[in-house]
Each structure stands twice: as structure tokens, then as C-alpha cells.
Amino acid sequence: MENMEKKKTIFKTIKISLIVLCSLVGVFILTISTYLIYVIATYYRIDDNQILEIENNQKSIVPIDEELTFTCYNIGFGAYSSQFTFFLDEGINADGSSSWGYYSKGLSYDDVLKNTTGSIEAIKNLDSDFYAIQEVDVDSDRAYHINQQKMIQKQMTNYAETFAINFHSAYLAYPLYDNHGKSLAGLQTLSKYHIENSIRKSFVVSNAFPDKFFDLDRCFSVNVIPVENKKKMILINSHMSAYDEGGIIRNQQLKQLNEYLLNEYQNGNYIIVGGDFNHDLLTYNPKYNYTKSNLPFSDTYTQLQPNWLSFMFEEDGTCNFDSHFAIYADDTTPSLRGADCIYEPGKTFVCTVDGFIVSDNVEVIGVKTHQTTDTTTDMFAFSDHQPTTLTFKLS
């Protein structure tokens, strides 16, 4: 009788345990299902050819035969101090071991504010005629809801401005230890001169599941700027895909951009594209003398070439752009650091992915990447990128 009671007690305990376990599994499945429905229900792609609003438009018309400057800068949503690493970034150490970033959001509200302020001061001090700025957050969990677009507007009051959204996401619950959260960010273009009109052009992006729910709405913004000789300057702000295995999507984006540029060139316009191309712009570039076995800045780091690195140029010096266009970048100062580890001069991989595509009816005088510094580092103080400036003339 006693054994029977023990068996009943054990059976009851097992039954209750199974009910609890099944309930927990059910709650987990329901939670995941609800989250997936939320992500799918809130998903949409921004329409192509979206007309962009021009704020604080200026009256001046671009002069001919005068030096002008155009700076591009990816401010990394204010997160990338020299101590920041990003969870999607992988590097390869000198011994062949992998190195992964950790964080998804900025280290803190104060750190993001400091980096954003530092980035704004860096570009303001350059006093360029035009700016193409990437990864500018408007209302994002990753940037603690600091409106970086408005911060830049308040400091650059003598510039016309356009803004193209390229990242609007539902709440992204990954990584689990540091949720990326909800994002709204874009490309900010500034001009001391009158902007006639502006349009957002959508890049080809991945439609694979589940990538399409987490990828950016990659795009480039086209800004039509009148010149005093009655021609137009087409000033483009571009940010191409990253984390694209094999570079398949990026290759399609390059061809798409080339087709657009060629059409504008055939209409007699001046063309300048500035931005973050997420491609090494120097290796095999016929303007320079670098190869895969002699990468730019290779004497300044010990990490090995990372898997994410793609080259804009083929080994024979050709690329996806028509012969009427040339690619300009600075080979004296890197524009990007690896974000798989804390920035450490002499160790961290660096390269140049920020620069300009310029039509042959524009006279290029020079291009320079500017070191951003603070009390702790001589480079990459506020972002994993550094600003790069093109000096040019129209005639």
C-alpha cells in the first residue's frame, strides 16, 4: 500500500512537471510566434524614386572655375568610440584566430552624445561646401533616441539639407544580451548652395528570408544642384550594403549605380558620388599601386585580411563603372577600422572604403582623409570611419 502511494506521488509529480514544462514551451512558442508576426506585419520597403524635402534651402548658385570641397563621413550612429566593438564584425588575428565584436547599441547615452558631438565638430571645422553623411540616427534604440539629424542641422545653419531614410526596423531582439532594438536612420546631405530637387533611389537589397527583415533599406540620394554656367551638378550620397557574403548584392548595387550615373552624364551633367562604398577603393585601383599581397596600410596593423573585405577593382584594374568615371580616395590615411576589437594602433585592421566617384568633366584637385582625435586616440575617435574630403573645380 505504501509503495502504491509512493508511485502515485511520483506519477503526480511527473505529471505536474510535464504540464509546467509544456506550458513553458507553449509560452515560449507563443512569444516567438507573436514576435515573428510583429516583425512581418511591420515590414515594408521604402518606395523607389521618393521625392525628398529640401530644408533651409540656400540661394547661392555653384560657381565655375573655383575650388569647391565635398566631405563624406559615416558617423556610425554615434556608437563607435575607439572602445566600441560591433557584434556583427569579425576579424582575423595574426595567429589566425577569429576576433568578434560584442556590442549592438552604443556603450551609453553619454558616450553616443559625446561621439555625435565630436563628429559634428570634426565636419564643422572642415567648412566644406557639401557633405554626405551616413548612419545618422533620428529615433533609434541603438543611439538612445538621440536625434542626430537635428543636432547636425542646429550646428550647420548655413546649409541646405536633404535626408533619405535607409534604415527603419521593427524592434530587433538580437543579440539577446544587447538587443539592437528599433531603428530609424538615414543619409544626410548638406549644401552651401541651392538644391533644385532631391530624390531617394533604392538600391537592390536581399529578399532572402529572414535577411530581408533585418537588412537596411539601402539607397542613394540624388541632389540636383544648379551651376552658374546653366549646367547641373548631380551630388549623390551613397551607402552600400555590408555583411554581404561573396559581395553578390554589392556587385548588383555597383552596376545599378553605374547605370544611373551614365544616364546623368549623357545628359551633360557633372557627377560626384560621395559615401561609404563598403569596398576597398585603393587595391588594384590604377591610380595607385596596391595589390592583394600589398594591401594599403598593411605596415600599420598585424591583423590579417578579414573575410568581409571586398575590392572595388578587379586585378586588371577594371571595375563596374564606365570609363567616364574615376574613383578617388586617400592612400595616406585610412578611412575605416575593423570593429571586431577595440581600436589598437599597430594591430587593428584598417583600410579605405570612403571616397568619391567623379565624372571626367570635373577637375579633381585632391582628396584627403582627416584623422579624428580626442584625448585617448589619434585616429577613429568618434566613429569607425573618418571623414574624407574631395577638392574639385567645375569648368
Side-chain angles (χ1 to χ4, degrees):
M1 190 72 176
E2 186 177 346
N3 288 337
M4 182 64 72
E5 289 298 324
K6 285 184 178 180
K7 288 182 180 180
K8 285 183 179 180
T9 302
I10 293 171
F11 177 76
K12 187 176 180 180
T13 301
I14 293 173
K15 184 178 179 180
I16 293 172
S17 298
L18 287 173
I19 291 172
V20 171
L21 179 61
C22 289
S23 297
L24 290 174
V25 170
V27 169
F28 176 76
I29 292 172
L30 179 62
T31 301
I32 295 299
S33 300
T34 302
Y35 175 71
L36 290 176
I37 291 170
Y38 155 71
V39 170
I40 293 170
T42 57
Y43 167 81
Y44 68 94
R45 286 297 187 198
I46 298 173
D47 292 337
D48 195 12
N49 298 315
Q50 182 185 71
I51 303 299
L52 300 177
E53 182 179 354
I54 303 166
E55 294 197 32
N56 195 39
N57 211 349
Q58 303 296 296
K59 294 181 179 180
S60 300
I61 304 300
V62 174
I64 58 171
D65 296 322
E66 290 186 18
E67 286 194 7
L68 300 163
T69 50
F70 179 20
T71 294
C72 62
Y73 187 23
N74 182 332
I75 66 170
F77 61 93
Y80 290 79
S81 63
S82 60
Q83 301 300 301
F84 181 84
T85 65
F86 191 58
F87 78 107
L88 288 176
D89 275 30
E90 180 186 10
I92 305 175
N93 297 317
D95 61 4
S97 62
S98 293
S99 175
W100 282 96
Y102 181 81
Y103 299 101
S104 173
K105 299 192 293 289
L107 299 180
S108 68
Y109 176 93
D110 288 343
D111 199 56
V112 172
L113 185 61
K114 174 186 73 70
N115 294 328
T116 305
T117 301
S119 290
I120 293 172
E121 284 301 308
I123 60 175
K124 189 176 180 181
N125 290 337
L126 294 174
D127 193 31
S128 293
D129 295 293
F130 310 95
Y131 292 93
I133 311 171
Q134 301 84 42
E135 292 196 33
V136 180
D137 277 22
V138 177
D139 186 17
S140 303
D141 291 319
R142 65 182 187 175
Y144 299 91
H145 303 280
I146 293 172
N147 191 329
Q148 296 164 345
Q149 179 196 11
K150 293 300 182 186
M151 286 183 65
I152 292 171
Q153 282 180 334
K154 287 180 180 179
Q155 292 296 316
M156 313 292 277
T157 55
N158 59 329
Y159 288 83
E161 185 236 24
T162 66
F163 194 81
I165 299 296
N166 74 340
F167 191 24
H168 65 99
S169 74
Y171 189 94
L172 303 181
Y174 73 96
L176 295 178
Y177 59 83
D178 189 32
N179 292 177
H180 199 63
K182 196 172 182 178
S183 296
L184 183 65
L187 310 177
Q188 190 169 16
T189 305
L190 303 172
S191 170
K192 283 185 178 179
Y193 297 92
H194 182 74
I195 301 177
E196 187 173 283
N197 58 74
S198 182
I199 190 171
R200 178 195 182 281
K201 295 291 295 179
S202 297
F203 269 131
V204 175
V205 292
S206 174
N207 285 316
F209 182 89
D211 295 354
K212 71 177 185 178
F213 296 109
F214 307 116
D215 191 18
L216 279 70
D217 264 306
R218 298 288 182 178
C219 70
F220 57 97
S221 68
V222 180
N223 302 274
V224 179
I225 300 177
V227 182
E228 67 179 11
N229 63 359
K230 307 303 180 183
K231 292 186 177 183
K232 309 289 185 187
M233 180 173 68
I234 309 301
L235 193 82
I236 293 177
N237 186 346
S238 177
H239 190 189
M240 291 182 168
S241 288
Y243 313 112
D244 167 30
E245 188 173 352
I248 296 172
I249 297 297
R250 276 176 288 187
N251 193 52
Q252 294 178 36
Q253 291 173 351
L254 290 172
K255 292 178 180 179
Q256 179 186 358
L257 182 58
N258 174 67
E259 184 178 338
Y260 188 88
L261 299 185
L262 191 56
N263 181 67
E264 290 291 351
Y265 180 82
Q266 291 169 346
N267 289 332
N269 298 320
Y270 304 105
I271 316 290
I272 307 179
V273 185
D276 175 2
F277 295 98
N278 273 314
H279 286 76
D280 178 318
L281 302 181
L282 297 173
T283 305
Y284 299 120
N285 186 331
K287 292 184 177 298
Y288 308 96
N289 188 31
Y290 300 103
T291 66
K292 195 172 181 179
S293 59
N294 175 35
L295 292 176
F297 317 111
S298 57
D299 59 344
T300 67
Y301 58 82
T302 58
Q303 283 189 307
L304 304 180
Q305 177 186 323
N307 294 328
W308 52 259
L309 187 68
S310 291
F311 299 120
M312 180 70 81
F313 290 87
E314 302 294 335
E315 291 186 18
D316 62 1
T318 61
C319 67
N320 280 301
F321 291 96
D322 185 85
S323 59
H324 288 296
F325 303 100
I327 295 173
Y328 292 86
D330 183 6
D331 72 336
T332 64
T333 303
S335 77
L336 175 72
R337 72 164 177 93
D340 57 283
C341 61
I342 291 172
Y343 176 61
E344 185 179 336
K347 172 192 173 183
T348 306
F349 178 82
V350 295
C351 63
T352 290
V353 301
D354 305 275
F356 303 90
I357 303 170
V358 187
S359 57
D360 58 13
N361 54 1
V362 175
E363 179 187 352
V364 173
I365 297 168
V367 61
K368 177 176 177 56
T369 296
H370 310 275
Q371 293 181 203
T372 50
T373 65
D374 62 12
T375 57
T376 62
T377 181
D378 290 332
M379 284 204 292
F380 303 106
F382 313 115
S383 172
D384 57 332
H385 294 254
Q386 300 195 113
T388 300
T389 299
L390 180 80
T391 304
F392 64 97
K393 282 185 182 180
L394 305 179
S395 58

